[in-house]
Amino acid sequence: MKQTWLRPSLVAAAACFAVAAAAQSNVIKIGVNQPLTGAVAASGNFVTSGAKIAADEINAKGGINGAKIELIIEDSKSNPTEAANATEKLIVRDKVPVIMGAWSSTYTLAAMPKLMEYKVPMVVETSGADKITTSGNPYVFRICPTNDMEAKSFARHVEPLKIKKADLLVVNNDWGRGSAESFQRMLEAKGVKVGRVLTMDASAQDMTSQLSQLKGTDADTLFVTTAVEQLTLVLKQVQSLGLKRQIITLGGSQSPDQLIEHAGSAAAGTMHNMMFAPWAPDASADPATARAFIAEWNKRKYDKSGLTEGFRGYDGIRTIAAAVAKAGAADPEKIRAALWDTELTGLAGKIKFEKVGPQGRESGQSTPNTYLVKIDNDKISIVN
């Protein structure tokens, strides 16, 4: 009986303490929940680096209404349980009024119940699973495209690339399975025959079984959805098996520069659907800011291959800062309300949230741009 009334009291107390702590200092804390260790650590660290650039840039210009940003960074360890724990730590222990996270769709979905429990908003910078914004969580605001949005945007490339029959190989998680479902629907609507749809565990290093099955099909194109670490292995194994296909990767987390460095000739000719193209900053929605971001990234001697992930953290923190400024206080509910009225031009396009999901419990979803790029002779160019 004691726990039935104690838990809500603790939740209310945590929210009050968060507001009180923010009011007593001239610092605005922003939580960052990313995979800094584990299977997808490279991507999480790149996003965090972009977030740091944004925070430093904002602070150098006077902060938010005179208050400096302090990023409170938590490591989800590439694990959904840890992602949920990190969210709770940021809210209860660190008293943050808003969070950016959590890279993977699986990690984000694991974190979302904590947002509802403590009533703290989160800007989602990377995760693409559609159910993140359709499940009825009013504390979620996503600036990256959903799987369905990515598929619809890619549809313009189907005819120019002469895709007639396609297979799909995806990581076996919410992101990968959702990507396969969205692209299968889009391809079939475009008259493309979809052959085999295979999955691979996120921790798997040997995909020769799946690739051997695909070698026996008559598809002309293979779509692959996974993080860059596993993708590197897939491309090397495709080359080793002599699998001849037009290969296109999805989700925007492929880091073509990293593929050139680590996959070598196995990456030649592959195409990758991206949300930011640092090789062509003038193609960005905000070329001047894109060039400045790239220059600062290079000045800090960050790995250039991380720019395609780092921009997510940069746009995420800039979005949060704009909302906090509009809210006029480091208060979770005021920030949540302000996010609905927040508009800015991000590196991947205009950021403005539309309502998605059950009425009265809608999440916010922005509509960014996507770019298809190709690796040719160790050079990366946009496919028109």
Side-chain angles (χ1 to χ4, degrees):
M1 288 293 294
K2 186 177 181 181
Q3 290 182 345
T4 61
W5 61 264
L6 182 58
R7 186 61 170 172
S9 297
L10 289 174
V11 172
C16 290
F17 287 148
V19 176
Q24 291 171 5
S25 70
N26 202 33
V27 171
I28 295 173
K29 294 181 178 181
I30 298 176
V32 176
N33 184 351
Q34 291 292 313
L36 305 179
T37 58
V40 292
S43 293
N45 279 282
F46 290 146
V47 171
T48 302
S49 294
K52 291 177 180 177
I53 291 176
D56 290 346
E57 180 182 282
I58 293 165
N59 286 340
K61 295 178 180 178
I64 302 174
N65 299 331
K68 294 298 180 72
I69 291 174
E70 180 185 356
L71 300 183
I72 309 297
I73 301 167
E74 274 291 320
D75 179 13
S76 70
K77 303 175 184 177
S78 300
N79 178 283
T81 300
E82 291 294 338
N85 292 340
T87 303
E88 189 161 45
K89 286 179 185 177
L90 287 166
I91 297 169
V92 175
R93 181 194 65 191
D94 299 307
K95 312 296 189 291
V96 303
V98 61
I99 297 171
M100 185 188 76
W103 194 78
S104 162
S105 293
T106 299
Y107 312 156
T108 299
L109 288 164
M112 282 167 54
K114 298 296 182 183
L115 306 178
M116 288 280 283
E117 180 180 359
Y118 294 105
K119 302 187 185 326
V120 171
M122 182 165 78
V123 170
V124 177
E125 87 296 329
T126 307
S127 315
D130 288 85
K131 62 183 175 180
I132 288 170
T133 44
T134 59
S135 62
N137 190 320
Y139 292 91
V140 168
F141 294 82
R142 178 161 48 183
I143 62 172
C144 61
T146 68
N147 290 325
D148 267 359
M149 290 168 67
E150 183 184 5
K152 290 175 183 176
S153 179
F154 183 88
R156 68 188 190 275
H157 297 295
V158 170
E159 291 181 13
L161 294 177
K162 300 178 181 179
I163 302 172
K164 301 299 181 183
K165 183 175 180 181
D167 294 327
L168 293 93
L169 176 62
V170 303
V171 63
N172 191 17
N173 59 23
D174 296 285
W175 171 40
R177 294 189 301 271
S179 176
E181 292 169 3
S182 294
F183 269 78
Q184 184 168 354
R185 284 194 298 270
M186 179 276 292
L187 290 168
E188 289 175 344
K190 295 286 289 183
V192 175
K193 184 176 181 181
V194 176
R196 304 295 300 271
V197 180
L198 302 180
T199 63
M200 50 191 167
D201 290 339
S203 61
Q205 296 189 348
D206 184 356
M207 279 63 69
T208 54
S209 175
Q210 293 94 325
L211 294 172
S212 294
Q213 294 180 57
L214 296 175
K215 188 176 180 180
T217 75
D218 60 349
D220 51 68
T221 302
L222 172 61
F223 288 96
V224 183
T225 304
T226 190
V228 66
E229 295 87 351
Q230 190 171 54
L231 178 59
T232 300
L233 298 174
V234 168
L235 294 183
K236 287 182 176 180
Q237 290 163 24
V238 163
Q239 184 181 55
S240 178
L241 289 171
L243 177 59
K244 303 298 183 183
R245 296 285 188 280
Q246 178 172 243
I247 295 178
I248 302 170
T249 73
L250 308 172
S253 291
Q254 306 89 340
S255 188
D257 283 312
Q258 194 170 334
L259 291 174
I260 291 171
E261 182 178 355
H262 296 292
S265 60
T270 59
M271 285 175 278
H272 311 274
N273 212 38
M274 315 299 300
M275 286 80 216
F276 177 55
W279 318 278
D282 286 345
S284 170
D286 186 348
T289 302
R291 287 192 291 270
F293 170 67
I294 293 167
E296 182 61 26
W297 186 277
N298 293 332
K299 180 181 176 182
R300 297 186 184 208
K301 301 188 185 309
Y302 291 154
D303 186 341
K304 70 173 185 177
S305 66
L307 279 163
T308 54
E309 291 281 8
F311 90 93
R312 302 178 190 272
Y314 183 76
D315 275 357
I317 296 302
R318 292 170 69 219
T319 301
I320 289 172
V324 174
K326 188 175 287 290
D331 175 276
E333 282 296 340
K334 289 182 179 179
I335 294 170
R336 185 179 77 87
L339 280 164
W340 287 114
D341 296 322
T342 296
E343 293 186 38
L344 68 154
T345 302
L347 299 186
K350 185 176 181 181
I351 296 173
K352 183 180 185 300
F353 297 106
E354 303 295 336
K355 291 185 176 182
V356 179
Q359 187 173 1
R361 295 184 290 116
E362 296 95 340
S363 298
Q365 176 66 59
S366 187
T367 305
N369 300 326
T370 65
Y371 309 87
L372 185 65
V373 303
K374 184 175 184 179
I375 298 174
D376 192 12
N377 294 321
D378 290 346
K379 301 292 183 182
I380 302 161
S381 59
I382 292 179
V383 177
N384 294 322

